[in-house]
Amino acid sequence: MPDMNEDPPDLEDALLRRSTRTAAPAVIRSGREVMSVELALTVFRQMLRTRALEERSIKMSKSGEAYFWIGGPGEEAFNVCLGLQVHKGRGPAHDYLHLHYRNAGVMLAMGMPMIDHTRQLAMRATDTHSRGRNFVGHYSIPAWNVVPVTSVIEVQFAMAPGTALVQKRHGQKNPLEAEGITIVVGGEAGTAEGDFETCLNWSTRPDNELPVLMLVANNRYGISTDLDTVHAHRPIADRGIPYGVRNETIDGNDPVATWNAIDRAMRYCRRERKPFLLEAMVSRLHGHSSSSGAQRNWTETDPLATFEQKLIDFGAIDTATVRALKEEAKKEADDAVVRTMKEAEPTRDDVYAFTYAPSAVDAVYPNDFTGLPEARN
Amino acid sequence: MPDMNEDPPDLEDALLRRSTRTAAPAVIRSGREVMSVELALTVFRQMLRTRALEERSIKMSKSGEAYFWIGGPGEEAFNVCLGLQVHKGRGPAHDYLHLHYRNAGVMLAMGMPMIDHTRQLAMRATDTHSRGRNFVGHYSIPAWNVVPVTSVIEVQFAMAPGTALVQKRHGQKNPLEAEGITIVVGGEAGTAEGDFETCLNWSTRPDNELPVLMLVANNRYGISTDLDTVHAHRPIADRGIPYGVRNETIDGNDPVATWNAIDRAMRYCRRERKPFLLEAMVSRLHGHSSSSGAQRNWTETDPLATFEQKLIDFGAIDTATVRALKEEAKKEADDAVVRTMKEAEPTRDDVYAFTYAPSAVDAVYPNDFTGLPEARN
Amino acid sequence: MANMAQAVRMALHYGEKHLGVTDVFGEDVGPPLGGVFTATQGLKTAWNTPLGERGILGAAMGIAYAGGRPVCEIQFCDYAFNVLDMFKIAGNQRWVGAGGFDMPIVVMTPNGAGIRGSVYHSHSFEGWASRLPGWKIVMPSNALDAYGLVLAAIKDPNPVLVLLPKALLRQKDTRLIPGEPADADELSRMIDAPVGDRANWEPQWPELEDHTVKIGEAALVREGTAGTVVSYGRPLPLCVQAADELAREHGSTFDVIDLRSIFPYDWGMISRSVLKTGRVLIVNEDTEVTNFGEHLLRRVIDEHFYDLVVRPRTLMGKHVPGIGMNQNYELNSVPQLGDIRAALWDLATEAA
Amino acid sequence: MANMAQAVRMALHYGEKHLGVTDVFGEDVGPPLGGVFTATQGLKTAWNTPLGERGILGAAMGIAYAGGRPVCEIQFCDYAFNVLDMFKIAGNQRWVGAGGFDMPIVVMTPNGAGIRGSVYHSHSFEGWASRLPGWKIVMPSNALDAYGLVLAAIKDPNPVLVLLPKALLRQKDTRLIPGEPADADELSRMIDAPVGDRANWEPQWPELEDHTVKIGEAALVREGTAGTVVSYGRPLPLCVQAADELAREHGSTFDVIDLRSIFPYDWGMISRSVLKTGRVLIVNEDTEVTNFGEHLLRRVIDEHFYDLVVRPRTLMGKHVPGIGMNQNYELNSVPQLGDIRAALWDLATEAA
Ligand SMILES: Cc1ncc(C[n+]2csc(CCOP(=O)(O)OP(=O)(O)O)c2C)c(N)n1
Ligand SMILES: Cc1ncc(C[n+]2csc(CCOP(=O)(O)OP(=O)(O)O)c2C)c(N)n1
Ligand SMILES: [Mg+2]
Ligand SMILES: [Mg+2]
């Protein structure tokens, strides 16, 4: 699969690829939730790829190929199930994504090549998200409505109602394009910032409810701070109650439960044009970031390992295939890094670039920022 | 009652004063809530005084004796029932008050002389709250733990957990002084600011619940904006649910209901050392402020008029006494204004005063701010 | 003849009609009030928000990301201080995001003292705003410029902050906005909401025309030789008055520069004037420690130190925690006509 | 021999033990981490807060109102911009409230670039902070001063902001804090939390003594005649290094002033030095538009314009939306040793 890097994942492809298995069951179960084996294998493959990329990323930060690492090992199930269900595209007919800094899995599942991630991590001039300016995982993809991720916790929740408002109106005027929603993702600790509440309030104005899917990836920690020590022992999902916002808390380490919960929540937002608050309990397998060492924490549930075991138990995959897929993913990540490290870094000439969009009504900066105003006439 | 201005209200005094009535009933009822007639008359008298002061204040802003007016006509029942139940004093054994700008009734009920209000309104140097610097109703009374009211909406809710934390600890160390609570008051529109949520969150940290009485005076408007147009049609009190904070919504125009609800809520905070969220539906009888004209709005329920009628209906008071009390209150307010207007205004010499407290470790400003740093040695 | 609030309103109407403005919003911006200074009365796309500056700026950013053209208001600049992080992000997202997304938002907010607004309706914001790279910041001193700068702000695809001097919002201009009826009363009948019930009121907009004041272009409102005064916003008319008085009474004339844009500023005009006069006074009402006027002074020192014939001056607000309600506070902490006149006279008469 | 983070920690311990500090708190300030820079490890009163800067500053203000002595942390100054309104209130409440309540709070926050922190761990805050009347703002450039300034901040009954240069937090001082063991390894064994499980760890505090650096007192760290350099925080050691190099290589000596307090600043020391040398360079890493260094320059112009023998200079960070992650951004937007050295040389050698 040499094209895996560039091509968006394709459900039907995956179906075909797996349909040669004869003895495999038709569905994977988790409690009352069900997922087709074909889909499960697609999810699994994307989770593997995500994990491979994250592990290679951590290595980069330790080897000196990069400096700072932050990401989402432990959130693969959640991220992949989300990414595969996004209505991808540009403009209000498609979904807007206001992401957190642990969403590599969302992007890979949507079809972003790994190198778009490693370029940012290695601070290359070719980094399309930030031209080597921002931390890794701080994506910006206009073609897919992925608005720039910022390190400032929770502000994305204050912006989300804005994109959703335009989407709602767009759908009212264009009934055939009325399913675009706004997806906003954050951690659980961040919900203590007022912006989380702002999102709930602004998405529920009477007669102006907005299609916002609010997602909280609850890994139970903000850096070193245990949620149980700073927050009442109640689900974050309860925060929807005072606004009448539908909500649910799920096991985000279980791809079957997660897929279905996201599917239901998305359908509700798409059709009802109203908000939904979904809290996913997830793991944090390598601590907060490279600042805290990024060592593997073996006490946390590994969603990838448990899903692998489940697929094997169900007879949906065998260990040899798993091994091959892992090798493949690892190679894909290695290749991306090798290519990345050959690319140019930004230079002194880049310092001011992209500050301003060209403007016909600006006498001083008609094109871009060029340093302090100068006498020019 | 020439001393009314200076003396704190005294329940037993009121009891005595009224005890000559022979035919009066023992209690006033409102649904299942009950209040003694003696207390009802005390509340009524303070409501009358508050109304008289507010009406005189509006007149000041229109006559040129003052400029800007803002206040609480329509909130008298709520404010007086609150003020009479405060544990007044200095330091963590007593209640802390983080007030809104419509709480003249709280202060009068606590015993503040009217002139302390009119001095601020008339921007006199004798204004102890702000030396003629701040809008009226922006009280600051160290002796009663009334921390400075600020015009910035909702910030008091972010500060309240701080005073409550000290009170909780103080009570743990001094069991005889373990009933001081923090009272924080705001309008309903302001609850859209994140600080309201901060208060809920910070008051419910596990094993660190704090004795904060959160009060929302819901007059259904933020300046011109109807709550129903910007907020889901649910009680503000519901905001307590996600944190397990006890909460109630009451008719703040009904002194009987209000007194009892505040009593219950306060007792809970005092004894359990935990937060309570109480929402009181109130009226806004003169619009937002003098900026919006301060004209009387006759469509809103007048808590004073309805209580007056109720007391008369119950035979607890007669119209002649009501008239006399009104005259008395009006005169008290007039006298305060007359005295106020004779007092000095701040001068240019006051501009910097009180910026800094004296500090032994400051080489430049050992006493107070004296303009930009100068060469002094 | 429109006042500045009417001018802003007309510009926003022009924006809705011709420039694709999709949303005008903020606290009390929509019906029935149409803004605490009436600047948004009768606008088709105006709506009221919950009370929250973070929601306002956040929504504006989201609307812009999704292709809308929002104009939002912070009711008073005094209440912008809980959302400076989002101002920063609105300003830096394009740079950080390698130019992926534009951020065509306009934020309007009343600025400065002069309306007896006490501590929280008297702040100046330009010093803070000028520290926000990626933003453009404008501040008109008259209604016609307000119209022209709001149009520029709407047209510019970058975040633009329009600071409206509170004390000048009700000042009538002597000039007409293109399309405005010559009779001020007629204008008022057409576009001012009636007192009382407004439920069925609709404005009658005049056929307005384009009039854009380019960002970064100052106006030389008086010409002279005795010195250069650089100002903007509320003190600008006072500078003009002081200069006119000194011209009339003493024959000392001044270049009076209305900067109009705080950032980018018209360095060319300042530079030429300083070269000509060798004497410069910078006037604003913001607090004096780390004041934008000090930046301008630094530019003057950087580039014209040896061209100056006397010490260059600044006249700014005092470093105080606030403007007090009693007028004696404001009179003694914000530059007044007399202060400006004295400073100008001093500048012009100091021996070279 | 302590590094700056250890010095701050020891000062806070001294504060808990001798000065009545009741609370040291913020995001990740308490156990197990003890602060992202270890500055609060092992402290008796340290606790973790919910993630919210408004809650942190609000709680500090409330604690102070109720008689506590709080020290709180904003994890990075980059995250202080959602709570500037409350900073303003903490600074103005005493003035507005006619002196009724003091506000004895200390806010600590890491400041500036130099740790490869990308856009949101590289901000400079002193320009913003200096616009907050009612606050005192200090910024040490070495561990001993950090100890002394934190003690002053705790003792001062007014709000004090302690800006800690991120890039210097791990720098060891050559001098000892009074009471500190002479052996740095011993200190580390005593007060640095172990890697791994810390549940049962307790620090062993040395018997520390008072050492207070008064607010508003700068330090003259080098004396010379060729010019005056005014700086503070992270660039200060670079200024010293540049001055030492020029002294060694060219015999040009400089007064190097470590301001230490941003507000109030030691105008006396600056003034005396400028009078002596007639040449001045002001250096900091904050963005250059409306920069606190421009305020200092304005004071120099106000009072010493005619004493200057050459154009006074500033060397500041570029006006950019952020410091980019790739080092080429920081190297080209924040003053580096070479830039400082060149500016000093230029200052010293310009013909009078
Ligand atoms: C406004 C703000 N305050 C503080 C920080 C520093 N910080 C970065 S990540 C983090 C913890 C976030 O926890 P959570 O929201 O649970 O997300 P997680 O990292 O666990 O995914 C903090 C405090 C920040 N980035 N932004
Ligand atoms: C942070 C902030 N934003 C805006 C304002 C302007 N403002 C003053 S009062 C007010 C409405 C407040 O409504 P509510 O909280 O319901 O209180 P009420 O006046 O009705 O008692 C607004 C928007 C402010 N004072 N502070
Ligand atoms: Mg978390
Ligand atoms: Mg209200």
Side-chain angles (χ1 to χ4, degrees), chain B residues 100-102 187-190 217-223 225 284:
Chain B
H100 193 43
Y101 45 66
R102 300 200 194 276
E188 87 297 336
N218 184 346
N219 60 16
R220 305 178 323 285
Y221 286 94
I223 305 186
T225 303
R284 198 181 69 169

Side-chain angles (χ1 to χ4, degrees), chain B residues 36-115:
Chain B
S36 77
V37 165
E38 291 73 13
L39 177 57
L41 291 174
T42 298
V43 168
F44 180 60
R45 184 170 65 101
Q46 295 298 348
M47 287 174 65
L48 266 178
R49 289 180 67 228
T50 303
R51 177 65 56 85
L53 179 61
E54 291 286 16
E55 288 183 343
R56 189 65 186 83
S57 298
I58 292 170
K59 212 167 123 190
M60 283 175 80
S61 78
K62 296 195 175 182
S63 69
E65 290 157 319
Y67 289 91
F68 180 78
W69 168 83
I70 194 159
E75 298 193 12
E76 289 88 352
F78 168 68
N79 279 332
V80 166
C81 288
L82 174 59
L84 289 175
Q85 298 188 74
V86 168
H87 285 194
K88 192 172 78 178
R90 185 178 210 137
H94 304 94
D95 295 349
Y96 277 91
L97 288 136
H98 300 259
L99 297 178
H100 193 43
Y101 45 66
R102 300 200 194 276
N103 296 136
V106 176
M107 303 314 304
L108 289 195
M110 285 176 73
M112 186 184 81
M114 287 190 181
I115 197 165

Side-chain angles (χ1 to χ4, degrees), chain B residues 70-71 75 100-102 150-155 186-191 193 217-224 284 288, chain C residues 27-28 51-53 75-76 78-80 82 120-121, chain D residues 85:
Chain B
I70 194 159
E75 298 193 12
H100 193 43
Y101 45 66
R102 300 200 194 276
T150 170
S151 301
V152 186
I153 291 287
E154 223 62 7
V155 291
E188 87 297 336
T191 65
E193 296 275 11
N218 184 346
N219 60 16
R220 305 178 323 285
Y221 286 94
I223 305 186
S224 71
R284 198 181 69 169
H288 178 70
Chain C
E27 295 157 9
D28 306 295
L51 200 172
E53 293 70 22
Q75 194 165 71
F76 291 90
D78 314 62
Y79 301 126
N82 61 356
Y120 275 96
H121 306 81
Chain D
D85 57 331

Side-chain angles (χ1 to χ4, degrees), chain A residues 70-71 75 100-102 150-155 186-191 193 217-225 282 284 288, chain C residues 54 85, chain D residues 27-28 51-53 74-76 78-80 82 120-121:
Chain A
I70 195 161
E75 298 193 11
H100 192 44
Y101 45 66
R102 302 199 192 276
T150 171
S151 302
V152 186
I153 291 288
E154 222 61 9
V155 291
E188 87 298 334
T191 66
E193 295 275 11
N218 184 347
N219 60 16
R220 305 178 324 287
Y221 286 94
I223 307 187
S224 71
T225 303
V282 297
R284 198 181 70 168
H288 178 70
Chain C
R54 301 185 64 78
D85 58 331
Chain D
E27 295 156 10
D28 306 294
L51 201 170
E53 293 70 21
I74 302 291
Q75 193 163 73
F76 290 90
D78 314 60
Y79 301 126
N82 61 357
Y120 275 97
H121 306 81

Side-chain angles (χ1 to χ4, degrees), chain B residues 96 129-130 133-134 142 146 158-159 163 169 195 202 205 351 353-359 361-363 365 373 375 377, chain D residues 23 47 49 54-56 58-59 62 65-66 94-97 100-101 134-136 156-158 214-215 264-265 267 272 299:
Chain B
Y96 277 91
H129 308 294
S130 73
R133 287 169 178 163
N134 218 338
V146 177
M159 299 179 211
T163 48
R169 279 193 205 142
D195 296 335
W202 285 63
R205 288 182 303 136
V351 167
F354 308 122
T355 301
Y356 288 128
S359 165
V361 294
D362 191 319
Y365 303 122
N377 33 18
Chain D
D23 296 88
W47 51 280
T49 65
R54 302 184 64 76
I56 292 171
Y65 274 140
R94 193 175 193 281
W95 182 87
V96 177
F101 289 88
W135 280 82
K136 303 183 181 181
D156 198 291
N158 297 287
K214 274 202 175 188
I215 293 174
Y265 48 86
W267 176 246
R272 281 190 303 276
R299 290 299 305 276

